[in-house]
Each structure stands twice: as C-alpha cells, then as structure tokens.
Amino acid sequence: MKVLKFGGTSIQDGERIRNVLGIIREAMRDTPVIVVVSAFRKVTDLLLDAAVKAGEGDAGYSKKFDEIEALHKDLVDDLIDEGRKKEVEKFLLEELAELSDVLHGVCLLRELSDKSRALIMSFGERCSAWIISCFLRQEGVEASYVDARNMIVTDSNHCDARVDMKASVRRIKARLKKGSGVPVVTGYIGAAPDGTATTLGRGGSDYTATIVGSAIGAAEIQIWTDVDGFFSADPKRVRDAYALPFISYGEALELSHSGARILHPYSVHPAMKAGIPIRIRNSFNPDAEGTRIGVLEDKGGGGGRPVTGLSSINNVVLLNLSGSGMVGVPGIASRLFSCLARHMINIIFISQASSEQSISLVIDYSRADKARKILEKEFAREIAARQIESLTLKKRIAIIAVVGNNMSGHPGVSAHLFETLGKNGINVIAVAQGSNEMNISFVVESRDEDKALNCVHESFFLSRRTVHVFIAGTGTIAKSLIGQLREHSLILRKEMDLDVVVSGMANTRMMAVRDDGIDLGNWEKALKPRNDGKTVRDYIERIRSMNLHNTIFVDCTASGDVAESYPDLLASNISVVTANKLGMAGSWELYETIRNAQRSSNARFLYETNVGAGLPIINTLNDLRNSGDKIIKIEGVLSGTLSYIFNEMRKGGKFSEIVRKAKEAGYTEPDPREDLSGADFARKFLILGRELGYRLDYEDIECESLVPEHLREEMSVEAFMEKLGSADADYDEKIRKAAENDMTIAYAGEICDGKARISVKMLPVTNPVAGLNGTENMVVFTTDRYLDTPLVVKGPGAGGEVTAGGVFADILRIASYLI
C-alpha cells in the first residue's frame, strides 16, 4: 500500500487534476493506494479571509464566499460529465449551504471562536475530496470519499490540534477496512472528542498522510507538490539551491521545524516511528525522482558534505530576559517556560549564556505582545527589585538553521559558518546548537536573511563561488575592465571556480542593475537613461539596499562625490576597489574617515591603481613595512604623460612639439595643463606619503609646475598650445647643461623625512630614471634592506588597459579573501 498526498497546487484546476489521475493510475499498477488531498489552491486563504471578515461583522465575507462557490462550481463544470453532475452538485450545495450558515452566524455574533474557525476551514478539504473521488469514479477508478473527522482523533485545541495516535490508528484501520478501491481522504482536519472539527495546522494534509500511512503500515508515503523535492535551501531565496536525492528523518525533522515549508513539521514523526519512507515528488514533473526521506544509510545522505540543507523562519520576535539577579537563582527558566506553556505560546528557539544573566527566546510575531504582558506579570516582583533589569522584544529578525547529520564530529563547521557570515558583514544576534550537532541555528536581522542564506549555501554547497561587482563610471577604464572580465570569465570559472558577476553599472546619466548579472557583451544597451536627475550616490544606495553577498564596488570615476561614499560602503561591509585618487588623496579628514571605516569593517579596500596604474607599488610598500623593513626614501616618476615628454626630450625633441604629439596620441588630458601642472603626480605622492604614516595634505607636497609662469593666465587650450613654444629654449638649455656634466633631466619626485618634493631634476645618466621609455613609470625604494641596491618597480604607468588590469587584479584579491 502507498499513500499519495496531493497539495493545493497539484489540484488547482481541471488540467492538474487530470494529471493527478494519471499519477494515481500509474501507482495502482504496482500496489493499492490511498489518496489524501488538500483544499483546492486559494480556497484555504479565501476561507480564512471570509472567517476573519465575518468575525469582524463585515458583510464583505459574502464576496469571499461567492469566490469559493464559483471556484468549486467551475471545477465541477470542467471535470464532471452531465450524467454525474447532479450527484456532485447535491453534496456541494449542502456543504456550501452549511458553510454559509456558519459564516452568517459568526457575522451576527461578531465572534470568531477557534471552534468556529476550525469548522469553517474544514470545508476546503471536504469539498475537494468529494469532487476528486467523484471524478475518479467517473474515469473508471473505484474510489470512495473519506472524511478524516471520522478517523483522526485530536484534543480540543481546535486550530492547532494534537493527535491522539492510539485512538486514531484504531479508527483508521476500522474505517479503511470497510471501503474498497481508492479511499480519497480529507487532509488537514480531524475531530475533537466531542466530534467538533479540528485542524492540524497549516499544511496539515502532509501530517494526515503520514498518520494514515503509519496506521496501515504503508510501504511508502508520497507527498506530491509543485517542486522536485526537498531542496538544499529555499529556491525562491537561493538561486543555486538544488533538490536533494535523500535526507534522513532527523534532517527532515530539523529542516521542517526550522522553516522548510515543503513538509509539515509534525509529518516526520509518525513515518519515522513506523520506519516508513517518505518521498517528496513534483506533480508538475512526475518523472523526477524527488527526495526520499528515510533511515540514514552508512554512505550518508549528502555525498560526504557536513551540511545537508538550510532553512529559515521569519516573522518572528526575539524575547530577551536579562539581569544580574538571575545568576544562580534556581527556577527562573522553569517559570519562564511554564508561563509561556500555560498560555499556549510555542518557543521556536532558545539560547542562554553560561553566566545565566540572560535567556533569549524566539516566538511567533503574533504572540509577542501577549508574551511580554504575561511575563511582565510573572516576573513583576523581580523587575521591581531590579533582579531582572530588562524584558525586551527585538522585531524584524529571522532564524536560519544549518542542518546535517555529517556535522557531528566534523571539526570546523561552525568556524567556517561564522567566518563566512563575518566576511559578509552579517551580525549574528544569538546562536543555538543541540548536543547532537545536527542543527546550528542563529538569529540575524530580517534584512540579512537572504544574504546569509546565499553566502552560507554557496560556501557549503557549491564549488564555484560568486562575487557581485558594481561599477561606477563608464569611461575608458570601465570599458577596458568590462572587456577583460568578459574575455577571462571562462578562465576564472575553470581555473578558480569563480564567477565575477557584474550586477550593476552607472554614471551620472544612466544606470543598469541586475542581481543575476548584466550581459557584458551588450552592456551599453542595458544602460537606461536616468530621467530623475539623481546622482551616482543614489546608485550606491541601491547597491546597499540589494544587500547581496560577496559584493565589491568598483570606482572607475574621477568623482569626489563617489570617493566620499567609501566610508558608507565599507560600513555596509561592501568591499571597494578604486582607481579614483580623490579618496586617498582627498582631504585628511576624508582619508581618516575611510581608514577608520576600513578598520571597523570586515570589507576590504584596495586602491593599487591610485599610484602606478597596474604596477604593484602600494602592495610592495606595504609588504616592506609589514615585514619590518624601514623605508628611508622613495623616489620615482609617477606620471606616464610627463615620463613620455621627458623621455622624448632626451632624444632631442622640442618640448612644445612633444606635448602636442602627446595630446594627439591621447596621453594627456584634453587640456594638457592638467598634466603639466603636476597635480596628478602630486596626488600619487600624497598617497605614498600617507602610506608611510606621514600626516600630509595636498598643500604639503612641493610640486613644480611645468606650465610656464607667463602662460598660467586664463586662455583657451588652443591659445596655450600656440604659445607653448616659448618654453622650448628653456628646456633646450637645461638639457644642454645636463649633457655637459654627463647628466640628464627628468620630472621626478622624492619622499624623505616626511617631506615630498616633485620637480625637474638633473640626474646621472646611470640613474634608473634615465632608462625609462615611452610612458613608463618607476618607483625606487631605498630601505634598510635595500640600501646599497634600491628596490625598483618599473613598468607602464598609464593607459586604460593597464589601469583596468590593476583594478581587475584588486577585484580578484578581494574575491580570494571573500571565498
């Protein structure tokens, strides 16, 4: 014998019910079956809405009743032939008439008792089971209608009844022996000792199926629903969740009690006690094997993984009782739990510190106010004497359960779990773990629920990890970065098991945001105009509100507003990679704010490209300092544009002509004076000086401008370029004098003893700077260890591709940390 239970979605319309007929016929080839059905889809919600409205004296309940009546009549018209329709309609009209009378009475009294509510809710299953049993008979399957109120015996807690298993088993055996063919049993409902209708809690049809299955000693209990089985996590919240082929009774019990809605929490007990396997199947995809729930085999249920699945519960409240007067006082916990039990308030989660100063409980949101009032009354004397200092409720929280048989005796699971949460900035409010080590439950803010589920699921279940990248700016560097990400995505997946997903792009005019990623081959079309006039900062707020796990913000702008947002991003545990110098080379106050935010956050902040494009200058400097070396002096050329100009002049070119060529080649800004002023070089040296620990502002950098003094007045770029030839003679003379002394000239800087200077210098031709070519940059570190032979870092110091490569490298460094 097999028991087949069909949920509301499996019988939501005529097409689905005909599909169920096929499933039943297929099952009957091998063995007799018993069918348990829920109410048709939407009916339970409509019944509850009608009951609540009637209890409030709202005549609008009649509209809900009309919807219920129409839904059932439409199904009868669709499924039942004319010759059998009268029989079906007669029963249906009687049931609906009784329902109408009950609702009318509740409305007149303006009182909805639990007994009335349970009776109203029972009509959904009563109607669906009757219609389906009639349809089966019509289609040649011998079937009978069975009202579970005549079999399932419960207590008098009408809306969440507890089952008397011994009495129920006797009645089930007696009732099912009388029938023939396929019994179609009403799920969800039972009867109190006085015969009044009770319900088994939302989703209780699963429970009915396992009660019936255990009573008759079924070979298997099949729960037919609308998903392929028990998933590793809720697939509506975790995109990469997958169906599990097998889980143990214990794991199913833990997951269902911890929020996995695929199975009623009490459903596992009867099957587990009787040793009957449960199989979760998808009526929309009958060929799928589904999930088998049974006794754990030696080989385990999760392929050796310590964690089998995740589940979560929200719409709950954390109640915390604390006070130094609780320490060592026997009976506090007993009174607390007994008080809540007397008032039928279920405790979902318990955590107590070993100091005994506080006890934390999680209860359903709907019972929170009642719980506070009764506990304040229970502990009034202790509160007045300040033995108990506070009784607080924390709302907007969620419980997440990490469940797995293999967690027992598996070192490092908790460490791995909390490290993952910490790196994503998820604050854990409370933790509980049973001694069987099968379930680690923790409490987080509701806004972090999805983020926590995704990062923990990825960490324990997936070999490939994901980082979500949000890019600010769509200029040269951003375009080059997108190209590199697109070209190397397959390599990253293959060699690093890493998916770098660009989830957002924006500039001041346009924006595109997709949590599952923007198509990098068509990203420009994904950008949509922003007609609201909002700034890039609103884009940043959007990123924060999305609250995705493993998030990296990439700044490819030159915007001061974006740089000022770094502290907020870091405070939100969003890592930052920036090619924008206006943060680390901004005001000292901003610099300190960024540094403080970085120190207090688990997020990373990398800015290697601020100084040498793709050159490892910041990393080298930090490695030297962190390894205990003392940096005596830093020298170098940190402007690709100015390096090019002086390298060409050493070859014999004219200053003005070289600047013009550099402008035409795109090496300079549209206005070359921005480069010739040395401002960009000065910002880079400011960053290096601050990295060395000096308190420097931009004004502290001694920087010689290459713009001739007589050309510093206001004039157009064209006019400036025409007059620049007047400076040629001066540079020719400097080169001539240098050559007479076997020297050369370069625009270079030096940081020493807390001072930073940048100017045109006369250097020996043997100096490393004299050997630079094109737009190359160079930094020379003189340290205690590199005293006689300084450490030289040399390479391309400008260009979109090189800078983007440096940004890409920083993204990968953060990704490596996060995963």
Side-chain angles (χ1 to χ4, degrees):
M1 180 75 74
K2 288 182 180 178
V3 177
L4 280 61
K5 177 263 174 180
F6 295 95
T9 54
S10 296
I11 53 173
Q12 64 186 5
D13 54 35
E15 180 184 354
R16 302 311 312 158
I17 294 171
R18 291 184 180 92
N19 183 63
V20 163
L21 170 64
I23 294 171
I24 293 171
R25 280 179 167 159
E26 182 66 26
M28 289 176 66
R29 290 183 180 184
D30 302 323
T31 179
V33 300
I34 294 172
V35 172
V36 177
V37 295
S38 299
F40 297 124
R41 184 171 175 266
K42 295 184 179 180
V43 170
T44 300
D45 288 337
L46 289 169
L47 286 167
L48 182 58
D49 289 346
V52 171
K53 285 184 179 294
E56 294 170 349
D58 183 350
Y61 79 85
S62 62
K63 292 183 180 178
K64 299 294 180 182
F65 174 84
D66 291 343
E67 287 184 56
I68 295 167
E69 182 178 41
L71 190 151
H72 286 90
K73 286 185 175 180
D74 287 346
L75 277 169
V76 171
D77 289 341
D78 185 10
L79 293 169
I80 308 300
D81 296 340
E82 288 298 327
R84 294 176 177 267
K85 192 172 288 186
K86 286 185 179 180
E87 174 194 1
V88 180
E89 288 180 338
K90 180 176 181 296
F91 177 90
L92 190 60
L93 288 172
E94 290 173 357
E95 293 290 294
L96 291 173
E98 182 184 349
L99 172 60
S100 178
D101 289 343
V102 175
L103 288 169
H104 181 60
V106 169
C107 186
L108 289 175
L109 292 172
R110 294 175 178 262
E111 180 183 346
L112 179 63
S113 67
D114 284 351
K115 184 182 289 188
S116 298
R117 185 192 296 259
L119 177 59
I120 291 168
M121 300 302 289
S122 73
F123 283 94
E125 277 70 15
R126 288 155 60 180
C127 292
S128 66
W130 177 260
I131 292 172
I132 289 172
S133 64
C134 292
F135 173 68
L136 291 177
R137 287 197 299 274
Q138 171 187 290
E139 299 301 314
V141 177
E142 187 179 354
S144 59
Y145 168 76
V146 178
D147 189 334
R149 290 178 296 174
N150 298 320
M151 300 193 304
I152 307 294
V153 182
T154 72
D155 62 12
S156 297
N157 185 22
H158 287 85
C159 289
D160 192 12
R162 297 296 179 265
V163 176
D164 182 337
M165 287 299 297
K166 288 185 178 180
S168 297
V169 168
R170 287 196 300 269
R171 290 197 180 189
I172 290 167
K173 288 181 176 179
R175 174 65 184 82
L176 294 182
K177 280 181 181 179
K178 294 179 181 178
S180 60
V182 177
V184 181
V185 182
T186 57
Y188 178 54
I189 62 176
D194 62 359
T196 54
T198 59
T199 61
L200 306 181
R202 197 65 184 263
S205 295
D206 298 341
Y207 194 16
T208 303
T210 59
I211 293 169
V212 171
S214 65
I216 64 168
E220 185 174 84
I221 300 163
Q222 297 179 357
I223 308 295
W224 288 87
T225 180
D226 57 358
V227 293
D228 282 344
F230 233 117
F231 275 67
S232 54
D234 184 349
K236 294 178 181 177
R237 293 178 175 273
V238 180
R239 188 182 300 113
D240 295 318
Y242 57 87
L244 302 165
F246 172 85
I247 59 174
S248 68
Y249 288 123
E251 290 168 331
L253 197 64
E254 294 286 353
L255 289 167
S256 59
H257 274 284
S258 301
R261 297 181 181 180
I262 193 169
L263 197 63
H264 187 280
Y266 298 146
S267 301
V268 180
H269 292 279
M272 181 169 63
K273 189 173 181 181
I276 299 170
I278 303 171
R279 191 175 291 275
I280 311 296
R281 302 287 297 276
N282 187 352
S283 63
F284 291 75
N285 182 22
D287 293 333
E289 286 296 316
T291 300
R292 184 173 157 281
I293 303 169
V295 177
L296 183 67
E297 301 171 0
D298 290 340
K299 63 182 180 180
R305 294 184 187 278
V307 176
T308 297
L310 313 177
S311 59
S312 64
I313 307 173
N314 47 35
N315 202 30
V316 290
V317 171
L318 181 71
L319 187 152
N320 189 66
L321 189 72
S322 63
S324 57
M326 293 167 55
V327 177
V329 179
I332 293 289
S334 173
R335 287 170 59 194
L336 171 63
F337 299 142
S338 298
C339 179
L340 294 174
R342 285 196 303 272
H343 292 85
M344 303 302 292
I345 297 175
N346 186 45
I347 300 170
I348 304 169
F349 170 102
I350 303 169
S351 178
Q352 182 176 17
S354 60
S355 67
E356 302 181 39
Q357 289 194 70
S358 68
I359 302 175
S360 297
L361 311 172
V362 174
I363 57 177
D364 189 80
Y365 181 86
S366 63
R367 314 303 296 274
D369 290 335
K370 180 180 180 180
R372 193 215 302 261
K373 288 177 183 177
I374 62 175
L375 290 176
E376 285 177 344
K377 183 177 180 181
E378 173 70 24
F379 293 102
R381 182 170 56 82
E382 287 84 357
I383 293 172
R386 300 187 67 82
Q387 289 176 306
I388 291 177
E389 293 159 10
S390 67
L391 176 62
T392 59
L393 293 178
K394 185 174 181 61
K395 301 179 180 180
R396 293 183 289 279
I397 64 162
I399 304 173
I400 295 175
V402 180
V403 175
N405 274 304
N406 292 337
M407 284 164 47
S408 178
H410 195 294
V413 174
S414 295
H416 185 55
L417 168 64
F418 294 114
E419 180 185 20
T420 299
L421 296 170
K423 285 180 177 179
N424 279 277
I426 298 168
N427 182 45
V428 176
I429 301 167
V431 181
Q433 181 177 13
S435 59
N436 65 3
E437 299 183 57
M438 190 188 293
N439 183 338
I440 303 174
S441 294
F442 57 94
V443 179
V444 298
E445 300 277 357
S446 291
R447 62 186 177 84
D448 286 331
E449 181 182 1
D450 284 3
K451 184 178 183 181
L453 285 168
N454 277 275
C455 71
V456 172
H457 184 272
E458 184 178 277
S459 182
F460 280 104
F461 290 90
L462 304 180
S463 58
R464 183 179 297 165
R465 307 297 181 80
T466 300
V467 293
H468 298 93
V469 171
F470 292 84
I471 300 173
T474 56
T476 302
I477 296 172
K479 289 177 180 176
S480 297
L481 175 62
I482 292 166
Q484 292 175 16
L485 288 170
R486 184 177 62 246
E487 291 169 10
H488 289 80
S489 60
L490 291 177
I491 295 173
L492 292 176
R493 290 172 188 167
K494 183 178 180 180
E495 297 185 1
M496 294 180 62
D497 279 328
L498 176 66
D499 263 333
V500 180
V501 176
V502 177
S503 296
M505 296 188 68
N507 55 34
T508 55
R509 297 170 292 102
M510 307 182 83
M511 182 171 73
V513 174
R514 283 181 61 95
D515 59 358
D516 58 347
I518 296 167
D519 179 5
L520 297 187
N522 204 24
W523 64 269
E524 289 175 298
K525 289 186 178 179
L527 290 167
K528 303 299 180 185
R530 304 178 67 189
N531 299 320
D532 53 11
K534 291 184 177 180
T535 66
V536 174
R537 289 187 64 85
D538 296 280
Y539 169 58
I540 293 167
E541 287 304 313
R542 177 79 176 272
I543 298 168
R544 293 173 65 188
S545 66
M546 289 173 72
N547 204 24
L548 297 176
H549 70 292
N550 295 346
T551 297
I552 304 174
F553 177 82
V554 180
D555 183 5
C556 295
T557 74
S559 165
D561 286 342
V562 179
E564 288 175 3
S565 71
Y566 299 163
D568 290 339
L569 287 162
L570 293 168
S572 300
N573 276 282
I574 296 171
S575 295
V576 176
V577 172
T578 178
N580 180 0
K581 303 176 189 66
L582 298 183
M584 300 309 282
S587 67
W588 179 258
E589 290 73 23
L590 176 59
Y591 175 84
E592 280 283 271
T593 304
I594 294 171
R595 282 300 193 203
N596 290 334
Q598 182 185 6
R599 281 190 284 266
S600 60
S601 170
N602 289 325
R604 292 297 177 94
F605 178 70
L606 298 182
Y607 47 96
E608 183 66 76
T609 55
N610 278 195
V611 175
L615 298 181
I617 295 172
I618 299 287
N619 281 336
T620 301
L621 188 155
N622 287 327
D623 287 345
L624 291 170
R625 296 189 69 207
N626 293 337
S627 65
D629 201 356
K630 180 182 178 183
I631 297 175
I632 299 168
K633 181 170 62 176
I634 295 177
E635 302 169 276
V637 175
L638 284 174
S639 169
T641 302
L642 300 180
S643 179
Y644 171 81
I645 291 170
F646 277 82
N647 291 340
E648 291 299 305
M649 281 198 296
R650 281 196 290 273
K651 296 176 184 178
K654 295 291 186 182
F655 176 71
S656 61
E657 293 175 0
I658 294 168
V659 172
R660 187 178 299 278
K661 287 180 183 178
K663 182 177 183 298
E664 291 170 354
Y667 293 158
T668 72
E669 295 294 330
D671 185 347
R673 284 172 289 187
E674 294 182 30
D675 297 287
L676 296 176
S677 69
D680 184 63
F681 197 153
R683 291 191 188 97
K684 293 175 181 179
F685 254 47
L686 174 59
I687 293 170
L688 288 178
R690 287 174 170 178
E691 288 295 305
L692 290 173
Y694 301 131
R695 192 189 189 289
L696 296 172
D697 282 307
Y698 181 79
E699 295 76 18
D700 298 323
I701 308 298
E702 297 178 20
C703 182
E704 179 184 349
S705 174
L706 300 183
V707 178
E709 193 168 343
H710 64 281
L711 298 180
R712 294 177 188 175
E713 61 188 55
E714 287 291 330
M715 67 178 72
S716 67
V717 175
E718 291 74 16
F720 170 76
M721 294 301 296
E722 287 178 6
K723 296 179 179 181
L724 188 58
S726 60
D728 289 346
D730 183 42
Y731 284 103
D732 288 343
E733 180 62 17
K734 289 180 179 179
I735 290 174
R736 187 187 64 78
K737 285 184 177 179
E740 288 176 355
N741 296 289
D742 291 327
M743 307 278 276
T744 187
I745 63 169
Y747 189 71
E750 175 185 290
I751 303 174
C752 187
D753 297 329
K755 301 290 184 180
R757 306 173 187 85
I758 304 167
S759 62
V760 178
K761 297 179 181 292
M762 190 177 293
L763 302 172
V765 292
T766 56
N767 189 288
V769 171
L772 291 176
N773 293 300
T775 61
E776 286 181 333
N777 278 5
M778 174 185 287
V779 171
V780 180
F781 294 98
T782 301
T783 74
D784 281 350
R785 294 175 189 158
Y786 295 93
L787 187 59
D788 295 330
T789 305
L791 176 63
V792 176
V793 178
K794 173 185 173 183
E801 284 293 325
V802 171
T803 304
V807 170
F808 195 175
D810 277 351
I811 291 172
L812 295 181
R813 288 188 188 97
I814 293 179
S816 179
Y817 158 75
L818 289 173
I819 65 177

